[in-house]
Amino acid sequence: MTSHPYLLGAACAAPVLYLVFTKWARPKPIPGIPHYPITSLLGDIPRVTEDMRVYGNIFDGGGFYNEAFKTGAPIWQLFVGPFDKWVGFADAQEMEDILNRATRTRAVDQSDIMLAAFSGTIPYGQVMVSLKSDDVWRKHRRVMNPLMTSKYLKSMTPAIAENARVLVDLWRSKMQRVKSKGATCFSCEDDFRYVSIDAITSIALGKSLDTIPHALSKIETSDIEIDRYGGAAFHLPKLPLYESLRYLFECIGDATTLPVFIAYIKQQTLRYTPTFRKHYKYVIDHIFSFVAEARQAVKEARALSEEYEAKSLVGMVAEKEGLPDHESLHEWELRDEIMAYILWGHDTTAAALQWGVKFLTENPSVQKTLHDELVNALSDSPESRPVTFDEMMSPEKTPYLEAVISEILRCAKVAAASSKQTTEQVELLGTVIPPGTSIAWCTHIACDNATVANEAKLRALDPVRSETSRKNGLGGRGLWTTPTDRFEPERWIAFDEKTGQKTFNPRAGYSFPFGVGLRSCAGKQLAVLELKIYIATLNLAFFLGDVPKELSSHRAKIQISRVPDQTYVAPTEWN
């Protein structure tokens, strides 16, 4: 009987304690930054989860950030549970200013979520986002950056161009089988992953994985599934190494959508599972077989006092090892750098190509204009031979190709946002952001909003912009004059009425497909070169016909890169 008062007191106190706890544990907003109402300790998790289900991501359609920035506020808070908050930012002028300054002063650095996501697979890969901007990262950058020189890119062009020609052969074989089955188009999602991974393995290791030739050899015997709209899907057997690389990539992608501590725990746990260890070992053994081969070739050349000519990433690194005044990477650092180039380099290119053929299919006039330019600008029957580096790097001869690639990158939004973290107090449009805050730089939303139609709203923010932002203004860029939801390569073309000359203007408006600042994409020159070669080669070979609307949705999902749910093509030979 004497225990009843205690039980009664506990029963009365429990609801009070619960209310106190839930109020205390609810996310704490940063003052002055708008946000959706906080109704529970989960913050915005329920809304984000529903947006992912309905829209595929939080940047498109009615997704979290897209809706938030429609309110006119260029800055917004997102709460991932009680302790993890993000600040989304979408003003292109201020974004360019602060990232060009703050990444160099390290007031803004890589976010913990990205480090956690890569911690299990490639913790030492600077080409990705696996390191903070410290001395280790700077050493990696010095060792690896020569890969992006014109000399090296030129030496890689023949392999990429030949690879593109094999893709043409694959599509011809596919269309023959598709037509024989009464279908009208086929899914090409895997084709672009194959061609991209062949290119990047050739560049990184000196030998292609040959997934496209493998696919071509299996076309006649493969199973084909045809849906009710006339779309065909080929079920081709995949090479084991390709499957291992895709498995490792998807492990990273899964972690980027989780809170930091969960992502880290998942990655550290995953690396000890039998499946991960099997795929990881298979890939690493393959990589280091080429490292050993390159080192042996360098050793033999030095013994004969001959010059070793590097033709791959591993060859370039091996060539410098042991030389005075040249830094070398530890084995685990080299392992992660090569892995990063292969994993990241193939997926982003594949994603951009998927969006590219969708946009071209929907814009037949763009295809025809591009085809006419390429045929007239390139000599010696360009449709029947691999293109060259000099041809792909001549904007004065092919301004429309430059415009098409820039517009594909602008509209594809492959990197929907980049995440960084403040290391000290920073100010964004007059709002103080405390140290340790994760910032989602919503680049494509910011660039889409940088239009003449929005100029009054943008200029209204001038009083709270930073001093350098006000001084530099648009930095020589224009504001887009036509709606940014249109695929319109002409927006990048400048026309001289006196001479009738058309030129490509890379600063026609805002577009940040590779990020901004010191930590922008390290491989952007290679990515642009690959896109030019593949798009030019495909355009010279094929006109992309109509695809049923049921197979041409623009709904996207994010798997590190933003990729379309559907990518179907109906290629036909030019008349």
Side-chain angles (χ1 to χ4, degrees):
M1 294 294 292
T2 57
S3 63
H4 287 176
Y6 297 104
L7 292 174
L8 182 61
C12 293
V16 176
L17 291 173
Y18 174 77
L19 290 172
V20 170
F21 171 75
T22 53
K23 185 175 181 180
W24 171 81
R26 284 186 183 184
K28 306 299 187 293
I30 299 172
I33 303 179
H35 56 84
Y36 290 116
I38 302 170
T39 58
S40 76
L41 57 83
L42 293 176
D44 293 309
I45 289 177
R47 163 79 187 254
V48 168
T49 302
E50 180 65 7
D51 287 350
M52 296 289 284
R53 184 187 69 80
V54 175
Y55 305 109
N57 64 84
I58 62 174
F59 300 97
D60 297 329
F64 182 95
Y65 277 130
N66 208 32
E67 285 296 298
F69 291 126
K70 283 180 181 178
T71 64
I75 187 168
W76 199 270
Q77 292 184 78
L78 182 152
F79 304 104
V80 186
F83 308 114
D84 197 1
K85 68 170 70 73
W86 284 74
V87 169
F89 191 71
D91 181 90
Q93 179 179 329
E94 201 72 8
M95 187 182 298
E96 185 171 37
D97 173 73
I98 191 168
L99 286 178
N100 276 326
R101 287 187 297 107
T103 52
R104 282 171 170 76
T105 61
R106 285 188 286 170
V108 175
D109 208 336
Q110 291 296 23
S111 68
D112 289 343
I113 182 59
M114 300 310 289
L115 269 62
F118 294 109
S119 64
T121 308
I122 44 174
Y124 293 100
Q126 72 88 18
V127 69
M128 301 273 283
V129 289
S130 307
L131 296 171
K132 293 283 189 181
S133 302
D134 54 15
D135 291 340
V136 174
W137 176 81
R138 278 187 282 275
K139 183 183 80 169
H140 281 228
R141 193 164 179 259
R142 288 192 295 271
V143 173
M144 305 305 293
N145 264 12
L147 264 177
M148 294 301 114
T149 61
S150 293
K151 176 184 176 181
Y152 182 75
L153 292 174
K154 187 171 185 175
S155 71
M156 291 296 100
T157 297
I160 302 170
E162 188 57 46
N163 203 30
R165 297 293 306 167
V166 182
L167 177 62
V168 168
D169 293 338
L170 178 68
W171 279 18
R172 286 195 176 115
S173 297
K174 278 193 168 186
M175 275 311 293
Q176 288 176 3
R177 283 213 68 193
V178 164
K179 289 179 179 178
S180 72
K181 296 292 184 179
T184 60
C185 58
F186 59 86
S187 172
C188 61
E189 177 182 349
D190 281 341
D191 299 346
F192 287 132
R193 286 177 179 162
Y194 294 157
V195 78
S196 299
I197 210 163
D198 281 356
I200 203 67
T201 50
S202 178
I203 290 166
L205 305 176
K207 186 180 186 308
S208 167
L209 194 57
D210 286 339
T211 55
I212 283 285
H214 174 75
L216 184 58
S217 71
K218 303 296 182 182
I219 287 293
E220 294 302 321
T221 57
S222 65
D223 294 330
I224 304 179
E225 181 183 344
I226 300 175
D227 60 37
R228 58 179 173 159
Y229 306 113
F234 285 78
H235 298 289
L236 300 171
K238 295 177 173 60
L239 291 172
L241 186 57
Y242 172 84
E243 290 188 315
S244 291
L245 286 165
R246 287 301 304 174
Y247 171 84
L248 295 177
F249 181 83
E250 287 163 8
C251 286
I252 298 169
D254 290 344
T256 57
T257 59
L258 300 171
V260 174
F261 71 97
I262 296 178
Y264 183 79
I265 291 171
K266 180 177 179 179
Q267 285 289 293
Q268 296 306 312
T269 303
L270 190 65
R271 65 189 300 189
Y272 293 105
T273 62
T275 301
F276 182 93
R277 291 166 73 92
K278 179 189 75 172
H279 288 297
Y280 187 79
K281 184 179 186 303
Y282 191 26
V283 171
I284 294 305
D285 287 349
H286 183 80
I287 288 173
F288 272 100
S289 68
F290 285 94
V291 172
E293 187 178 298
R295 285 171 171 165
Q296 181 62 29
V298 170
K299 182 179 179 181
E300 291 174 0
R302 288 175 180 172
L304 296 172
S305 299
E306 295 178 350
E307 184 178 351
Y308 173 79
E309 184 179 356
K311 296 182 178 180
S312 66
L313 183 155
V314 296
M316 184 202 73
V317 172
E319 181 184 27
K320 303 297 183 184
E321 288 180 337
L323 295 180
D325 301 324
H326 281 88
E327 297 172 292
S328 298
L329 300 179
H330 294 293
E331 294 294 272
W332 64 86
E333 295 174 308
L334 180 59
R335 170 201 68 199
D336 286 2
E337 288 293 351
I338 297 171
M339 181 97 79
Y341 265 96
I342 294 173
L343 293 181
W344 190 258
H346 92 274
D347 190 77
T348 50
T349 301
L353 286 169
Q354 287 180 62
W355 287 110
V357 295
K358 287 177 76 70
F359 300 142
L360 291 174
T361 295
E362 294 163 355
N363 293 272
S365 64
V366 172
Q367 294 187 64
K368 292 172 183 175
T369 301
L370 177 60
H371 185 77
D372 289 345
E373 177 184 84
L374 292 172
V375 170
N376 292 327
L378 311 184
S379 59
D380 303 326
S381 302
E383 67 279 0
S384 59
R385 62 167 175 81
V387 297
T388 68
F389 176 80
D390 290 339
E391 289 172 336
M392 294 295 96
M393 302 301 287
S394 301
E396 70 284 354
K397 292 183 179 179
T398 55
Y400 201 69
L401 174 62
E402 299 283 341
V404 167
I405 298 305
S406 293
E407 189 69 351
I408 287 173
L409 288 169
R410 188 190 71 81
C411 294
K413 305 165 186 174
V414 170
S418 64
S419 61
K420 299 288 186 287
Q421 190 167 313
T422 57
T423 59
E424 58 188 58
Q425 181 175 292
V426 298
E427 190 172 304
L428 289 177
L429 296 178
T431 301
V432 174
I433 310 296
T437 302
S438 295
I439 302 178
W441 304 94
C442 301
T443 50
H444 84 258
I445 295 176
C447 293
D448 281 356
N449 289 340
T451 65
V452 170
N454 287 332
E455 187 168 12
K457 295 179 182 178
L458 298 174
R459 297 287 65 85
L461 294 170
D462 285 346
V464 292
R465 295 188 185 281
S466 70
E467 181 181 347
T468 51
S469 178
R470 289 195 300 271
K471 178 181 177 182
N472 296 329
L474 299 181
R477 298 181 189 273
L479 294 173
W480 297 121
T481 58
T482 56
T484 50
D485 59 350
R486 296 179 189 168
F487 181 78
E488 195 174 273
E490 287 74 14
R491 72 175 74 242
W492 297 92
I493 298 294
F495 180 71
D496 189 324
E497 294 184 357
K498 293 182 179 179
T499 64
Q501 186 77 20
K502 292 182 179 180
T503 56
F504 169 66
N505 178 13
R507 300 186 72 80
Y510 278 99
S511 180
F512 300 144
F514 300 106
V516 185
L518 188 66
R519 295 302 297 260
S520 60
C521 176
K524 54 191 171 186
Q525 294 97 330
L526 173 61
V528 170
L529 176 63
E530 286 187 86
L531 287 174
K532 287 181 184 178
I533 291 172
Y534 291 130
I535 293 297
T537 302
L538 290 174
N539 179 261
L540 285 165
F542 301 118
F543 174 78
L544 301 179
D546 291 337
V547 170
K549 61 180 176 55
E550 294 84 358
L551 302 177
S552 56
S553 165
H554 277 233
R555 189 179 190 275
K557 54 184 177 284
I558 293 181
Q559 302 169 332
I560 298 185
S561 303
R562 179 180 175 272
V563 296
D565 278 352
Q566 299 173 315
T567 312
Y568 283 79
V569 289
T572 58
E573 306 282 346
W574 288 94
N575 294 325

